[in-house]
Amino acid sequence: MIENEFMMVSVLCQTYNHEQYISECLQSIVAQKVNFRYEILVHDDASTDNTANIIRKFEREYPDLIKPIYQEVNQWSLGNKVFSGIQLPRCTGKYIAICEGDDYWTDPLKLQKQVDILEGNENIGLVYAKARVYLQSKCKYADDLFGEYRASLNEMIFKGNAIPTLTAMFRREIAVAFRQEFSQKKGWKMGDYPLWLYIFGKYEVAFEDEVIGVYRMLENSASHLSSCKRNIRFSRNYFEIAYFFADYFGLNKSVYHHIKQSYFSYVVRLCIQKQYKQHVISRYLRRFYREKGPKILCLRVISMFGCGRFVLRYLYKH
């Protein structure tokens, strides 16, 4: 590796109380086989377990690679955006890859393959692949893989987010432009999905049809909350983001109709799976029907999921 060679990739690793997983994560990053310089920007968000000490051990062993921040106060609880507000400004790489502290890569050529793709076509803004899903609460892998091909922005909205963040690599200049344009946007509870939609709307995207990492699904992670109510609020935000970018890029009005139906379907299905009481489901139905859902969508969802007589009674009363 050449001493004065410019930085090609910045790998971002956000972690909090990941002492069981952080070693596997960092080891998979430092084990990458590349012909360019890369840096590992670790952000420990004031972990209360042994996570910071494990990071310090890696820092001593790989001082040229690992550049950590050890927070004394949890930034997430303060409402600060770790990716756009703390990590992105200190990136020096031409490209950015992300591997959260509880995930890890299984392909030692992950970075090299993706840099080759991006270097080979300047019109490509993002490249991603597949990941295995490890169900931590059950201590086993899920039957299905996470990650599949999406041909367009419409598909990203119609079929949903299919990009495992740990498999992605994108151009830093895109992330900077995204941050500048949407830095004042409040209320987005996820950082990756809005960025993916933005990239799909402006650039070509490449998909590697291979598994290159493991996505660890934790019971109380941001996207898999144990509380049904919190899960619904999080998912509502997901559909609001889809609405925002459908409008931002001027998509066909049929997309809005689809987003409404998808959100309504998800809420009803989740409530039934969690055996929510009837008055709780009715509250979500009422809110959705008042704000977005025409009655025909409600009836269609009922036919799909068999929501019960109480839903029918509610709909025909309103």
Side-chain angles (χ1 to χ4, degrees), residues 27 30 55-66:
Q27 188 58 48
V30 299
I55 296 170
R56 289 188 177 96
K57 179 181 176 182
F58 274 86
E59 181 186 7
R60 289 192 297 270
E61 191 171 351
Y62 302 96
D64 295 331
L65 277 179
I66 296 181

Side-chain angles (χ1 to χ4, degrees), residues 109-171:
L109 297 176
K110 190 266 189 194
L111 293 181
Q112 185 67 59
K113 290 176 181 177
Q114 295 185 330
V115 165
D116 290 344
I117 291 172
L118 291 168
E119 287 286 281
N121 188 342
E122 62 181 12
N123 295 320
I124 296 176
L126 164 72
V127 56
Y128 69 101
K130 295 179 179 179
R132 296 189 73 187
V133 178
Y134 188 76
L135 307 173
Q136 189 63 39
S137 61
K138 298 180 179 180
C139 296
K140 69 174 187 178
Y141 289 100
D143 295 332
D144 298 326
L145 298 175
F146 179 21
E148 59 183 278
Y149 175 68
R150 292 285 185 264
S152 64
L153 176 63
N154 272 25
E155 283 199 4
M156 274 291 286
I157 292 178
F158 272 91
K159 296 183 178 181
N161 184 17
I163 302 178
T165 300
L166 77 148
T167 72
M169 181 183 288
F170 50 94
R171 299 180 186 275

Side-chain angles (χ1 to χ4, degrees), residues 228 266-276 281 305:
C228 189
Y266 175 82
V267 169
V268 173
R269 184 170 63 247
L270 184 64
C271 288
I272 292 172
Q273 289 174 348
K274 298 295 184 179
Q275 297 181 333
Y276 251 35
I281 302 178
F305 301 109

Side-chain angles (χ1 to χ4, degrees), residues 203-217:
Y203 298 86
E204 294 178 18
V205 175
F207 173 64
E208 298 174 285
D209 192 8
E210 58 182 309
V211 175
I212 63 174
V214 173
Y215 170 67
R216 195 184 307 272
M217 187 181 292

Side-chain angles (χ1 to χ4, degrees), residues 193-205:
Y193 187 49
L195 178 59
W196 305 155
L197 293 178
Y198 178 78
I199 295 176
F200 264 86
K202 288 180 174 288
Y203 298 86
E204 294 178 18
V205 175

Side-chain angles (χ1 to χ4, degrees), residues 72-87:
E72 296 184 359
V73 179
N74 184 272
Q75 299 301 299
W76 182 84
S77 64
L78 296 177
N80 295 328
K81 297 180 179 179
V82 174
F83 169 71
S84 60
I86 300 174
Q87 289 282 68

Side-chain angles (χ1 to χ4, degrees), residues 19 25 55 91 119 138 147 149 158 214 216 248 263 286 289 302:
E19 66 175 345
C25 170
I55 296 170
C91 290
E119 287 286 281
K138 298 180 179 180
Y149 175 68
F158 272 91
V214 173
R216 195 184 307 272
Y248 179 85
Y263 175 69
R286 182 167 62 252
Y289 176 68
I302 288 172

